[in-house]
């Protein structure tokens, strides 16, 4: 497939590029600065430098692609519009280009539901995790609402607390509800999950939780 990857210089984004290339996909990395891509990857992908908040700027990275994967994220804990602003621009560019498939990265911590254990559901998430990341989670919620209203074939992948490690090859997933005991997720597993869901039409319109 011809894939556009946003956030390609981040932890999950780099894994999407590496693993996507390994699977034989043609990758377009949409980034603010091409120099931030490792040289070994930069030579193997098409690079589009763009302001990811501007639909016209990201259009060259979206046109003619089969699907879009966004691993955009904010490193700050204060108010942010990184998620919602980028999703608004990406989905607008996709509609104009006639591209329908899009997968984005969310966060399992933003929701506590029946899939969680009692401690996680009633103590850990509402009293610790959600207050700590309230600004990022609010922006993620806004971005997911934009996806739902965009009329595209969207899937949100929500990992647990992210960590760096080699891919486990044995991660667990759950659709539309949290994974019991899903406290952390390897970034490489998150990328593998997203790439595996690309050509699964049944996953469109669903939130997929993933934990290592």
């Amino acid at each position: 497939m011809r894939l556009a990857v946003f956030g390609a210089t981040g932890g999950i984004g780099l894994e999407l590029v590496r693993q996507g290339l390994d699977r034989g996909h043609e990758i377009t990395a949409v980034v603010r600065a091409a120099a931030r891509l490792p040289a070994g990857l930069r030579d193997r992908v098409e690079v589009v430098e763009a302001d990811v908040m501007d639909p016209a700027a990201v259009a060259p990275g979206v046109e003619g692609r089969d699907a879009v994967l966004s691993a955009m994220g904010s490193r700050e804990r204060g108010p942010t519009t990184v998620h919602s602003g980028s999703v608004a621009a990406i989905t607008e560019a996709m509609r104009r280009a006639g591209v329908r498939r899009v997968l984005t990265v969310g966060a399992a911590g933003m929701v506590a539901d029946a899939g969680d254990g009692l401690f996680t559901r009633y103590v850990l998430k509402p009293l610790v995790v959600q207050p700590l990341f309230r600004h990022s989670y609010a922006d993620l919620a806004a971005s997911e609402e934009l996806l739902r209203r965009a009329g595209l074939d969207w899937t949100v992948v929500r990992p647990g607390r992210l960590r760096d490690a080699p891919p486990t090859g044995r991660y667990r997933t759950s659709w539309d509800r949290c994974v019991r005991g899903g406290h952390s997720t390897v970034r490489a597993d998150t990328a593998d999950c997203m790439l595996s869901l690309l050509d699964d039409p049944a996953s469109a319109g669903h939130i997929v939780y993933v934990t290592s």
Side-chain angles (χ1 to χ4, degrees):
M1 299 176 73
R2 300 189 66 199
L3 306 178
V5 177
F6 288 77
T9 59
I12 295 174
L14 282 170
E15 286 293 336
L16 286 169
V17 173
R18 292 190 184 105
Q19 294 183 35
L21 289 170
D22 288 345
R23 293 183 183 213
H25 298 305
E26 296 180 26
I27 305 294
T28 299
V30 185
V31 296
R32 289 185 181 273
R36 293 185 60 191
L37 274 172
L41 291 179
R42 193 164 61 242
D43 297 338
R44 300 174 61 197
V45 302
E46 179 181 354
V47 179
V48 173
E49 289 186 316
D51 176 359
V52 295
M53 304 294 184
D54 181 353
V58 302
V62 171
E63 292 170 354
R65 276 62 183 184
D66 299 307
V68 173
L69 301 101
S70 176
M72 295 294 299
S74 173
R75 294 180 174 86
E76 307 297 329
R77 290 188 180 174
T80 178
T81 58
V82 167
H83 302 289
S84 57
S86 60
V87 164
I90 291 167
T91 53
E92 177 61 25
M94 290 178 65
R95 286 195 297 265
R96 294 176 183 176
V99 180
R100 294 198 53 81
R101 190 72 172 111
V102 56
L103 293 91
T104 67
V105 177
M110 61 190 290
V111 171
D113 63 26
D116 289 314
L118 292 178
F119 177 78
T120 299
R121 185 179 184 185
Y122 293 109
V123 178
L124 183 61
K125 284 186 177 180
L127 300 182
V128 179
V129 177
Q130 290 168 353
L132 186 63
F133 297 103
R134 63 188 182 279
H135 296 297
S136 179
Y137 287 173
D139 191 33
L140 279 170
S143 73
E144 291 182 7
E145 183 58 30
L146 287 171
L147 277 175
R148 292 185 180 94
R149 299 203 310 254
L152 302 173
D153 298 328
W154 60 268
T155 302
V156 175
V157 175
R158 288 181 178 172
R161 178 178 56 83
L162 290 167
R163 57 189 175 91
D164 289 318
T168 68
R170 57 180 186 276
Y171 58 83
R172 295 178 293 140
T173 62
S174 178
W175 289 24
D176 301 319
R177 65 183 294 170
C178 297
V179 180
R180 183 65 60 92
H183 301 304
S184 71
T185 311
V186 173
R187 287 179 170 86
D189 287 344
T190 306
D192 183 85
C193 178
M194 294 177 73
L195 290 166
S196 297
L197 291 169
L198 262 177
D199 54 1
D200 181 358
S203 69
H206 291 278
I207 293 172
V208 179
Y209 291 83
V210 55
T211 181
S212 300

Coordinates of all heavy atoms in Angstrom, one line a residue, residues 19 22 31-32 53 55 72-73 83 115 122 132 143 151 153 165 180-181 197:
Q19 N 8.6 -0.6 10.2 CA 7.8 -1.8 10.0 C 7.0 -1.8 8.7 O 6.8 -2.8 8.0 CB 6.9 -2.0 11.2 CG 7.6 -2.3 12.5 CD 6.6 -2.6 13.6 OE1 5.5 -3.2 13.4 NE2 6.9 -2.2 14.8
D22 N 9.4 -2.7 6.0 CA 9.7 -4.1 6.1 C 8.5 -4.9 5.5 O 8.8 -6.1 5.0 CB 9.9 -4.5 7.6 CG 11.2 -4.0 8.1 OD1 12.1 -3.6 7.3 OD2 11.4 -4.0 9.3
V31 N 6.5 15.4 7.8 CA 7.2 15.9 9.0 C 7.4 17.4 8.9 O 7.4 18.0 7.8 CB 8.6 15.2 9.1 CG1 8.4 13.7 9.3 CG2 9.4 15.4 7.9
R32 N 7.7 18.0 10.0 CA 8.0 19.4 10.0 C 9.5 19.6 9.5 O 9.8 20.6 8.9 CB 7.9 20.0 11.5 CG 6.5 20.1 11.9 CD 6.4 20.8 13.3 NE 5.1 20.9 13.8 CZ 4.3 21.9 13.5 NH1 4.7 22.9 12.7 NH2 3.0 22.0 14.0
M53 N -0.8 21.4 10.7 CA -2.0 22.0 11.1 C -2.7 22.7 9.9 O -3.8 23.3 10.0 CB -1.8 23.1 12.2 CG -1.1 22.5 13.4 SD -2.2 21.4 14.3 CE -1.2 21.0 15.7
P55 N -4.3 22.2 6.1 CA -4.7 21.2 5.1 C -4.0 21.3 3.8 O -3.7 20.3 3.1 CB -6.2 21.4 5.0 CG -6.6 22.1 6.3 CD -5.4 22.9 6.7
M72 N 0.7 11.5 15.8 CA 1.0 12.8 16.3 C 0.8 12.8 17.8 O -0.1 12.1 18.3 CB 0.1 13.8 15.7 CG 0.3 14.1 14.2 SD 1.9 14.8 13.8 CE 1.8 16.3 14.7
G73 N 1.6 13.5 18.5 CA 1.5 13.6 20.0 C 2.1 14.8 20.5 O 3.0 15.5 19.9
H83 N -3.3 17.2 18.8 CA -4.1 16.1 18.3 C -5.3 16.6 17.4 O -5.4 16.2 16.2 CB -4.7 15.3 19.4 CG -3.6 14.7 20.3 ND1 -2.8 13.7 19.9 CD2 -3.3 15.1 21.6 CE1 -2.0 13.4 20.9 NE2 -2.2 14.2 21.9
G115 N -13.9 -3.0 31.0 CA -12.8 -3.8 30.7 C -11.7 -3.8 31.7 O -10.8 -4.6 31.8
Y122 N -11.8 2.5 39.1 CA -12.3 3.5 40.1 C -11.3 4.3 40.9 O -11.6 5.3 41.5 CB -13.2 2.7 41.1 CG -14.4 2.2 40.5 CD1 -14.6 0.8 40.3 CD2 -15.5 3.0 40.0 CE1 -15.7 0.3 39.7 CE2 -16.6 2.5 39.4 CZ -16.7 1.1 39.3 OH -17.8 0.6 38.7
L132 N -3.6 13.9 35.7 CA -2.3 14.2 35.3 C -2.2 14.6 33.8 O -1.4 15.5 33.4 CB -1.4 13.0 35.6 CG 0.1 13.2 35.4 CD1 0.7 14.2 36.3 CD2 0.9 11.8 35.6
S143 N -10.1 15.3 19.1 CA -9.7 14.8 17.8 C -10.5 13.6 17.4 O -10.8 13.4 16.2 CB -8.2 14.4 17.9 OG -8.0 13.3 18.7
G151 N -16.6 11.5 8.2 CA -17.2 10.6 7.2 C -16.2 9.7 6.5 O -16.3 9.3 5.4
D153 N -13.2 6.3 6.9 CA -13.1 4.9 7.5 C -12.0 5.0 8.5 O -10.8 4.7 8.2 CB -12.7 3.9 6.4 CG -13.8 3.8 5.3 OD1 -15.0 4.0 5.7 OD2 -13.5 3.6 4.2
A165 N 10.9 -0.9 23.8 CA 11.4 -2.2 23.9 C 11.2 -2.9 22.5 O 10.4 -2.4 21.7 CB 10.6 -3.0 25.0
R180 N -8.2 -5.7 30.1 CA -7.9 -6.0 31.5 C -6.4 -6.2 31.8 O -5.7 -6.9 31.1 CB -8.6 -7.3 32.0 CG -8.5 -7.7 33.5 CD -9.1 -6.6 34.4 NE -10.6 -6.4 34.1 CZ -11.5 -7.1 34.8 NH1 -11.2 -8.0 35.7 NH2 -12.8 -6.9 34.5
G181 N -5.9 -5.4 32.7 CA -4.5 -5.5 33.0 C -3.6 -4.8 32.0 O -2.4 -5.0 31.9
L197 N -4.1 -3.6 11.2 CA -5.5 -3.2 11.0 C -5.8 -2.5 9.7 O -7.0 -2.3 9.4 CB -5.9 -2.3 12.2 CG -6.0 -3.0 13.6 CD1 -6.2 -1.9 14.7 CD2 -7.2 -3.9 13.6

